[in-house]
Amino acid sequence: MSLKPNAKPVLEVKDLQTYFKTDAGIVKAVDGVSFTIHEGETLGIVGESGSGKSVTNLSIMRLIPSPPGKIVGGQVLFEGEDILKLSEAEMRNIRGDKISMIFQDPMTSLNPFLRISTQMIETIRLHNPGVTKKEALERSIEMLKLVGIPSPERRINSYPHQFSGGMRQRVMIAQALSCDAQVLLADEPTTALDVTIQAQILELIAKLNAQMGTAVILVTHDLGVVAGMCDKVCVMYAGRIVETASTEELYAKPSHPYTEGLIKSVPRMDTAKKNERLFSIEGQPPNVIDLPPCCPFHPRCQKAMEVCRHAYPPVKDLGNAHEVSCWLYLDEKTKEQALQDATLQEKA
Ligand code: SF4
């Protein structure tokens, strides 16, 4: 779980904006998201449903359904090249080969009518045309073994429905990593599984990350999962990143009131008192259609000030690679200026 010294950045997301056009207005699902992930690093993207974390991953893979969705701005640099500028044919070579994705429900990416062997061999040969069928089969068996499928030589000839949910998830991870992808996007990879299987799958992803140096972006709503797996964390709210820090720093000094609420709502075995009610953040996430220029968390925030209701907070660097977007960390002069500007704009 620790980043190697001199690890190279493998993926840089800069000011990514993905909008959806709906009859009710424009949904700014991802609005100015930026982060960098290095080889061998695990980044957690955390937030409630609708915060934009899954759309961020789908945008990186360029799998946004269009229409109604569109990546309207920003860059996604893979090894320095902006993959948002690639043709669809060029993007197909990146997808699966260099950047792979595992989804919440394995059945969405496994074909129920084809044997696992057929699907894995096809994936490997699609990205490595020089590989023979025999070599692809051997590689597939090796990957199934790596992810802990018992008797892989025999099980590879099964159909997806002949596996349990946890085993299907392992097959999907094996398939996603069979082409030695450098970045693995895991979107709530354990949500559909029971707790013991969840732990096994997360352990497996961590093992592969350590063994193969794969950079992992883990999308989850569960800060407990992040604590055990990630090097750093981006907390998302209403389409934007509101706080970024190393996992250790985020738990030690959560700075955004939303992050504080998320951490408080994780059940703790060590400090919980008998019959104590679990903390929950009051209110609902905002409707992200045509959001006004304010802190979208203000209706739920107990520390909200006047400026929070009129202007979006800029990013404040707290040092130690810790950044937060919250007016609590800006000086009085900056707040007054923002309030004056907002009042003028509202009058205009
Ligand atoms: Fe709360 Fe204001 Fe910070 Fe938003 S900017 S989280 S409303 S204090």
Side-chain angles (χ1 to χ4, degrees):
M1 214 182 76
S2 61
L3 186 59
K4 282 189 210 135
N6 306 324
K8 283 189 271 162
V10 56
L11 192 80
E12 291 169 79
V13 175
K14 293 186 176 177
D15 198 21
L16 182 67
Q17 292 160 296
T18 305
Y19 295 175
F20 289 81
K21 211 172 176 181
T22 71
D23 291 341
I26 303 285
V27 174
K28 294 183 179 176
V30 172
D31 197 14
V33 161
S34 302
F35 59 80
T36 300
I37 181 163
H38 298 78
E39 51 187 24
E41 193 174 35
T42 301
L43 166 75
I45 303 185
V46 191
E48 290 164 297
S49 300
S51 59
K53 50 196 194 317
S54 295
V55 178
T56 301
N57 264 0
L58 289 171
S59 305
I60 294 170
M61 289 297 264
R62 295 215 353 223
L63 289 175
I64 295 293
S66 178
K70 195 170 179 198
I71 300 172
V72 297
Q75 292 181 309
V76 176
L77 304 175
F78 174 71
E79 296 186 321
E81 184 179 26
D82 186 3
I83 59 173
L84 297 184
K85 294 210 171 98
L86 298 182
S87 67
E88 188 42 44
E90 288 168 325
M91 192 59 207
R92 269 198 292 274
N93 291 331
I94 298 269
R95 235 181 258 133
D97 194 10
K98 312 272 187 210
I99 308 176
S100 258
M101 186 157 180
I102 49 176
F103 296 89
Q104 223 175 85
D105 177 8
M107 285 315 261
T108 54
S109 54
L110 293 174
N111 186 329
F113 299 107
L114 297 177
R115 292 180 198 274
I116 299 299
S117 52
T118 312
Q119 302 189 48
M120 289 191 73
I121 290 170
E122 202 173 82
T123 307
I124 293 173
R125 295 190 73 205
L126 183 74
H127 295 289
N128 305 279
V131 170
T132 65
K133 220 171 164 181
K134 186 167 170 279
E135 286 166 341
L137 176 66
E138 283 166 5
R139 171 90 179 134
S140 306
I141 292 172
E142 193 190 310
M143 290 309 296
L144 290 184
K145 202 184 228 168
L146 192 70
V147 298
I149 301 280
S151 317
E153 296 83 357
R154 184 171 55 81
R155 296 304 309 269
I156 196 163
N157 292 314
S158 307
Y159 289 91
H161 73 267
Q162 293 173 298
F163 285 89
S164 65
M167 285 293 164
R168 276 201 291 263
Q169 198 70 326
R170 283 169 188 260
V171 170
M172 193 166 61
I173 294 171
Q175 193 178 25
L177 292 175
S178 59
C179 300
D180 294 334
Q182 283 149 274
V183 182
L184 178 68
L185 309 178
D187 189 353
E188 305 267 14
T190 58
T191 303
L193 306 172
D194 64 53
V195 181
T196 40
I197 308 293
Q198 270 184 25
Q200 290 173 15
I201 296 290
L202 292 172
E203 235 172 72
L204 173 66
I205 295 175
K207 193 172 110 190
L208 295 172
N209 158 259
Q211 275 180 4
M212 300 171 80
T214 318
V216 178
I217 299 181
L218 180 71
V219 161
T220 178
H221 61 275
D222 187 343
L223 263 177
V225 166
V226 165
M229 276 202 68
C230 298
D231 299 298
K232 65 179 181 191
V233 193
C234 293
V235 179
M236 282 192 78
Y237 192 77
R240 302 197 193 202
I241 292 177
V242 295
E243 188 162 4
T244 305
S246 68
T247 309
E248 224 170 85
E249 169 92 8
L250 192 92
Y251 275 83
K253 293 184 209 154
S255 300
H256 196 283
Y258 177 58
T259 314
E260 278 181 57
L262 284 181
I263 290 179
K264 270 206 252 168
S265 51
V266 176
R268 301 266 310 239
M269 297 289 282
D270 52 348
T271 52
K273 294 185 194 114
K274 210 178 166 197
N275 298 329
E276 191 183 28
R277 282 182 80 94
L278 199 58
F279 177 84
S280 71
I281 304 171
E282 298 267 304
Q284 296 295 321
N287 181 348
V288 286
I289 296 176
D290 297 326
L291 262 181
C294 59
C295 170
F297 189 61
H298 79 80
R300 305 171 77 183
C301 181
Q302 292 181 352
K303 298 175 182 168
M305 300 161 280
E306 191 53 21
V307 65
C308 308
R309 292 178 248 279
H310 297 278
Y312 193 86
V315 176
K316 172 79 182 170
D317 186 347
L318 302 178
N320 207 13
H322 189 169
E323 292 181 341
V324 66
S325 282
C326 173
W327 284 114
L328 289 174
Y329 302 91
L330 277 301
D331 58 53
E332 286 310 314
K333 208 171 146 208
T334 314
K335 283 189 266 193
E336 268 167 36
Q337 187 61 53
L339 208 44
Q340 274 174 23
D341 293 348
T343 315
L344 283 174
Q345 262 178 16
E346 282 161 19
K347 278 186 188 154

